[in-house]
Amino acid sequence: MTKADTVWGTTHNGLPQPIRGTEGATILGPRNVPLERANPDLLAPPRTDHGTVPNLKFSYAAAHNRVLSGGWAREVTARELPIATELAGVNMRLKPGGIRELHWHKEAEWAYMLAGRARITAIDAGGRNFIDDVGEGDLWNFPAGIPHSIQGLEEGCEFLLVFDDGNFSENATFLLTEWFERTPREVLAKNFGLPQKAFAALPRDVDYTRYIFDGELPGPLASDTVRSPAGEVPKSFSYRLSAQKPVQVAGGQVRVVDSSNFPAATTIAAALVEVEPGGLRELHWHPNTDEWQYYIAGQARMTVFASSGRARTFDYQAGDVGYVPFAMGHYVENIGDEPLRFLEVFRSAYFADISLSQWMALTPPALVQAHLNLDPKAIAALPKGKPLIVR
Ligand code: MN
Ligand code: MN
């Protein structure tokens, strides 16, 4: 290591370098500087990282996008991020009036509205229907097999969809137009009690082209009402998460949503976490299931402790997906100067986490001290509640 290397370090021409104190050296060969800048903890990991931990990050910016007349959709599934076997995500945009075709699928669909407004429709097996408008910060949950649609309203919309199977694909849903195309015309005629010529104008060779297509803006919600003799679905498929009073803590705030406050969401639970600059979503783990993350705003780093001498640190920014395999310890730190906002999503009926700090606080101090040689007074002074986010 020469003095020039040190100076070159992380500052020369502003280029990031894999240099950590006296260790490492500059890159001489080909490089992708924007990617290196976005992943400083991969380029020069903290010394505490160790061993082989699978990739736990995939950005929607690196996902294939399906671009159609009414908008677009890109997915991050187990095909993009192989460790993510429990949940898959889709980022979708609909133009004003743009329609995500009437369809259904084998997986439950949980959604977070990122921007704009949408009208959503569904019916359940009891013939009870659901039609509602949702806006930024609202959720919906359609249980597995329930048919539904989404349409962009005046300002269009963008949302995140999460499915309770990592191998889900948006390209494999059951589409209304495709079923019509794949059914003999005489069977359609018999089924609907209509002459065959009634189906003369069906779209031909749909080749999934409806999927996301241009549509006319619908009228006000009241004008789109269809009354079912069986009434409406008993548990609303939508939930106003942004209207929920958050749990305020020292370094930010948290809103938890699961089947206890959104009864329709029986298979997917979530927390919307907001961490102030410098704040830390405390060291913790989840005793029930993997965690699938979506970063909405800000910059974060997370180290995942995988046991067996393994730990790995990743950096995340808006539009990234993160993943924490079942039971692995982790923290999420806001390393930017803007508020950090992200979703923790779980394939579970309920949200649960174990706080490292609370565990130590509720264990005999002498026992904790015997492990860590910490000052017993400091152990005794730990808060006995769950800090969630510290600063
Ligand atoms: Mn769907
Ligand atoms: Mn977590």
Side-chain angles (χ1 to χ4, degrees):
M1 165 73 56
T2 66
K3 186 156 188 288
D5 276 335
T6 311
V7 173
W8 195 284
T10 55
T11 55
H12 186 73
N13 288 342
L15 289 179
Q17 301 291 356
I19 292 175
R20 192 173 57 192
T22 58
E23 298 172 333
T26 56
I27 292 174
L28 301 178
R31 60 187 303 178
N32 184 327
V33 173
L35 264 182
E36 289 160 355
R37 280 196 206 293
N39 298 282
D41 287 294
L42 294 184
L43 191 67
R47 279 205 180 80
T48 42
D49 278 16
H50 195 258
T52 303
V53 174
N55 178 44
L56 301 175
K57 172 182 178 176
F58 199 93
S59 177
Y60 275 102
H64 170 71
N65 206 350
R66 199 168 161 194
V67 177
L68 292 147
S69 65
W72 49 256
R74 44 188 182 173
E75 64 185 16
V76 174
T77 71
R79 287 168 290 279
E80 287 73 26
L81 183 60
I83 193 85
T85 54
E86 299 239 307
L87 296 158
V90 172
N91 175 207
M92 190 178 291
R93 170 84 160 92
L94 297 176
K95 296 197 290 202
I99 297 169
R100 170 63 175 95
E101 176 171 358
L102 286 157
H103 70 284
W104 73 98
H105 32 76
K106 299 171 188 173
E107 304 79 5
E109 170 180 318
W110 183 98
Y112 178 86
M113 283 289 287
L114 296 164
R117 290 172 63 247
R119 179 157 306 161
I120 53 178
T121 76
I123 76 156
D124 72 7
R128 298 170 293 198
N129 65 354
F130 174 82
I131 306 170
D132 195 18
D133 289 352
V134 288
E136 186 176 338
D138 291 343
L139 310 181
W140 69 77
N141 187 94
F142 298 129
I146 293 294
H148 53 277
S149 68
I150 312 157
Q151 183 170 25
L153 296 178
E154 287 80 359
E155 54 279 79
C157 62
E158 189 175 329
F159 45 87
L160 175 78
L161 303 171
V162 183
F163 301 87
D164 58 0
D165 182 348
N167 283 298
F168 170 84
S169 175
E170 258 295 292
N171 305 319
T173 62
F174 297 91
L175 301 174
L176 177 73
T177 56
E178 193 190 5
W179 201 11
F180 272 76
E181 170 153 304
R182 305 281 169 227
T183 305
R185 294 293 184 271
E186 67 272 20
V187 172
L188 289 176
K190 188 182 287 184
N191 187 72
F192 293 103
L194 294 168
Q196 280 197 44
K197 66 176 189 303
F199 302 97
L202 283 180
R204 302 305 302 267
D205 300 316
V206 290
D207 192 27
Y208 317 113
T209 51
R210 281 284 194 271
Y211 179 59
I212 293 175
F213 63 104
D214 264 331
E216 294 292 319
L217 272 176
L221 183 58
S223 73
D224 243 5
T225 301
V226 179
R227 299 226 175 274
S228 166
E232 296 177 7
V233 295
K235 298 171 185 171
S236 176
F237 289 154
S238 62
Y239 179 80
R240 316 286 170 211
L241 182 60
S242 55
Q244 182 191 111
K245 192 174 178 310
V247 176
Q248 295 279 356
V249 289
Q253 58 183 34
V254 179
R255 290 177 172 90
V256 170
V257 57
D258 61 16
S259 59
S260 69
N261 50 13
F262 182 18
T266 56
T267 61
I268 297 181
L272 175 63
V273 180
E274 298 176 78
V275 184
E276 291 164 11
L280 180 78
R281 172 79 173 93
E282 64 163 330
L283 288 157
H284 69 281
W285 73 94
H286 304 276
N288 50 343
T289 184
D290 296 6
E291 172 175 338
W292 193 96
Q293 302 170 334
Y294 179 73
Y295 288 86
I296 299 168
Q299 292 183 289
R301 76 165 177 171
M302 172 170 76
T303 301
V304 172
F305 165 56
S307 84
S308 316
R310 296 174 300 147
R312 187 172 172 190
T313 305
F314 294 85
D315 304 286
Y316 301 93
Q317 58 196 27
D320 289 346
V321 172
Y323 204 78
V324 184
F326 175 46
M328 290 188 184
H330 54 285
Y331 67 85
V332 180
E333 184 179 21
N334 184 345
I335 55 167
D337 44 24
E338 305 285 326
L340 168 69
R341 193 157 75 252
F342 70 100
L343 285 165
E344 305 176 1
V345 191
F346 307 89
R347 188 170 75 182
S348 175
Y350 62 93
F351 172 89
D353 69 348
I354 306 275
S355 157
L356 173 64
S357 166
Q358 187 178 41
W359 179 32
M360 293 173 62
L362 299 179
T363 300
L367 181 58
V368 177
Q369 200 268 347
H371 290 75
L372 300 169
N373 294 324
L374 293 176
D375 177 356
K377 284 204 231 29
I379 298 166
L382 285 174
K384 294 190 167 50
K386 196 177 281 185
L388 291 175
I389 303 167
V390 296
R391 51 171 308 128

